[in-house]
Amino acid sequence: MLYTLVMQDDAAKSARVVEAITDFVFVPEDTRAFEALALDPRLRIISLTVTEKGYYQDVATGDLDLRNALVTQDVSEWHWGGSLQKPRTAFGFICAVLQRRRSAGLPAVTVLSCDNLPLNGDLCRRATLRFAAACDAELATWIDRNATFPNSMVDRITPATEDAHRAQLADDFGVRDAWPVVSERFAQWVVEDAFVAGRPDWDRAFGGGDDDESVLFVGDVEPYETMKLRLLNSGHSALAAVGLLLGHRLVHLSLADPDVLGFLGAYMRQVARTLGPVPGVDLVRYQAKLVDRFANRTIALTGYEMDMVMVTPTGEPGADPGPGFLCSQVMGRGHLGCMLPFGPAGDHDVGSRKRPAAPSPGWPAGCVDDENWHKKNAPSKDCAWVSDYPGGRCLVVGADDRVAHESCDRACGCSAPPTPRPSPAPPSVAPAPAPTPPP
């Protein structure tokens, strides 16, 4: 199973065919293959990227909501049959695998959440143990004592795949791919080094002297996660909001505006003062790198692709700011930083600047991402993608984690970048497998 990764910035473009996905199992239709995967002695890691909704959190407690319909079905089936043959949830899948391994006398594995959630490993552990306790108290105790759930943080800007990306890949490299992944060159993966059965040398696979690519195994992910949330995510939001007010539809065009660039710099300097030490990271250099990344013209993000936060001076989200202030809330402390005044709402003033009263032609109507294929079509809980690496095997549940696959791919040394060549009529290759991994 192959897909093409295209990495590009204003200076260069490269492509590689990722070959780390060696198998795919649709669990509801192939329970025998599921059993074989669960009992494979090579299995070391279960990785999952199922998005926030896949954690079925109780809004009041943050724990796994046992009243959720899918969770209830999995728990009921477990009590009825003594296990799960066709799990409907990620935690049903994880517990079913671990139960089979415990019964067979096999060791537990590492469960590695790669979802974009704060302290995702801690959250995954709580949800898994809560599900297991609802099904089998002894299994819950065994998981608690033997499995590990490292926290992780991944940072790479990857826009939704569009037809233009497919056409450009064919023109530039002579490769036809139904679902390539296009990203910036920068990639940072920070993983808590808490693996119960060993791990791949992902940190050696990435990097090689390239500061733009790194995998870091650390004792505590939280400082890196806080840095990303407060500087990258919050900075993205602030940049998008100000750019939209000035009529800039694309993020890199916003940064070409000296007023926006100056605002972003001042904003990030204020935010950086709220951070503690981040081992191995120069925060001044990190901020400069963020500006370069946001300004990447080859990753043309729109303001609607940013997570915007509009708040009033009182911090009330969603209200009309009127003649007050536009702020972007700094994640984690509720600190309102770098407020930019603007005039009456009818005039749409930003200081001495005027923005258009209506969006420019071609502006998307509403914040609807119909091109985001994976949100509509990806198998969020029923599938297992298999990646092999020297010494072990990794199962990826649901929407696959690209960085994990690419790291396995590099650790194996089993792929090579295609040679760039213009090709107006590229040759056809085997059609992409179905279902295709999401971006």
Side-chain angles (χ1 to χ4, degrees), residues 85-143:
Q85 299 299 320
K86 299 179 180 180
R88 299 168 179 82
T89 65
F91 305 105
F93 180 98
I94 292 166
C95 288
V97 170
L98 292 174
Q99 183 213 36
R100 285 161 172 77
R101 295 184 71 82
R102 174 174 177 253
S103 299
L106 292 170
V109 299
T110 297
V111 181
L112 178 60
S113 171
C114 297
D115 282 297
N116 190 23
L117 295 168
L119 300 176
N120 50 16
D122 294 349
L123 174 61
C124 183
R125 180 180 181 276
R126 291 196 305 271
T128 301
L129 292 177
R130 183 168 170 81
F131 182 93
C135 299
D136 182 338
E138 292 184 0
L139 175 64
T141 299
W142 185 84
I143 293 173

Side-chain angles (χ1 to χ4, degrees), residues 76-424:
S76 298
E77 182 181 323
W78 192 298
H79 285 297
W80 180 263
S83 185
L84 284 178
Q85 299 299 320
K86 299 179 180 180
R88 299 168 179 82
T89 65
F91 305 105
F93 180 98
I94 292 166
C95 288
V97 170
L98 292 174
Q99 183 213 36
R100 285 161 172 77
R101 295 184 71 82
R102 174 174 177 253
S103 299
L106 292 170
V109 299
T110 297
V111 181
L112 178 60
S113 171
C114 297
D115 282 297
N116 190 23
L117 295 168
L119 300 176
N120 50 16
D122 294 349
L123 174 61
C124 183
R125 180 180 181 276
R126 291 196 305 271
T128 301
L129 292 177
R130 183 168 170 81
F131 182 93
C135 299
D136 182 338
E138 292 184 0
L139 175 64
T141 299
W142 185 84
I143 293 173
D144 188 28
R145 292 175 178 173
N146 294 280
T148 55
F149 297 79
N151 292 303
S152 70
M153 183 275 288
V154 66
D155 178 7
R156 183 173 66 180
I157 298 173
T158 305
T161 301
E162 299 178 348
D163 287 339
H165 296 138
R166 301 180 185 92
Q168 196 167 33
L169 175 62
D171 291 342
D172 292 344
F173 296 97
V175 174
R176 287 193 184 277
D177 189 338
W179 215 271
V181 175
V182 177
S183 78
E184 61 176 339
R185 305 194 71 83
F186 183 92
Q188 184 185 56
W189 194 19
V190 183
V191 186
E192 182 182 1
D193 201 355
F195 290 76
V196 71
R199 59 167 171 79
D201 292 330
W202 286 325
D203 51 339
R204 298 178 62 184
F206 268 87
D210 187 350
D211 291 339
D212 283 349
E213 294 183 321
S214 63
V215 176
L216 304 177
F217 289 107
V218 300
D220 184 6
V221 170
E222 192 167 11
Y224 302 87
E225 194 166 57
T226 303
M227 174 186 70
K228 177 194 172 187
L229 287 171
R230 295 188 185 176
L231 285 174
L232 187 147
N233 295 101
S234 180
H236 241 170
S237 299
L239 166 63
V242 172
L244 287 172
L245 286 173
L246 294 174
H248 302 304
R249 179 173 178 264
L250 299 177
V251 171
H252 70 275
L253 295 180
S254 294
L255 279 179
D257 185 323
D259 289 345
V260 178
L261 179 61
F263 166 79
L264 179 63
Y267 176 84
M268 290 197 296
R269 287 191 294 274
Q270 280 201 18
V271 171
R273 293 203 293 268
T274 73
L275 297 173
V278 185
V281 176
D282 181 331
L283 289 177
V284 174
R285 185 176 180 182
Y286 182 80
Q287 293 171 63
K289 186 64 181 179
L290 283 179
V291 174
D292 289 342
R293 294 170 63 194
F294 295 161
N296 185 352
R297 292 175 296 176
T298 65
I299 305 294
L301 295 174
T302 70
Y304 278 139
E305 289 176 290
M306 313 303 244
D307 181 18
M308 291 185 295
V309 181
M310 297 288 286
V311 296
T312 65
T314 60
E316 179 182 349
D320 182 359
F325 294 91
L326 167 70
C327 312
S328 184
Q329 190 167 12
V330 179
M331 305 290 184
R333 293 189 182 178
H335 170 78
L336 295 179
C338 201
M339 296 191 232
L340 182 69
F342 63 94
D347 294 337
H348 304 288
D349 289 342
V350 181
S352 61
R353 297 286 302 268
K354 295 273 189 178
R355 79 162 173 88
S360 58
W363 190 272
C367 189
V368 179
D369 189 3
D370 287 334
E371 297 298 322
N372 202 342
W373 176 89
H374 74 274
K375 288 185 179 179
K376 297 188 292 183
N377 300 302
S380 63
K381 54 191 177 297
D382 297 326
C383 299
W385 308 89
V386 182
S387 286
D388 290 326
Y389 62 90
R393 167 166 283 190
C394 177
L395 294 185
V396 180
V397 181
D400 65 318
D401 178 64
R402 295 285 184 177
V403 178
H405 284 314
E406 291 157 22
S407 298
C408 285
D409 190 68
R410 296 184 185 209
C412 291
C414 57
S415 71
T419 303
R421 62 181 179 88
S423 178

Side-chain angles (χ1 to χ4, degrees), residues 53-76:
K53 292 182 179 179
Y55 287 77
Y56 308 106
Q57 289 178 276
D58 186 312
V59 295
T61 66
D63 292 329
L64 179 69
D65 185 0
L66 295 175
R67 299 166 299 178
N68 177 275
L70 294 175
V71 176
T72 299
Q73 289 179 54
D74 271 359
V75 172
S76 298

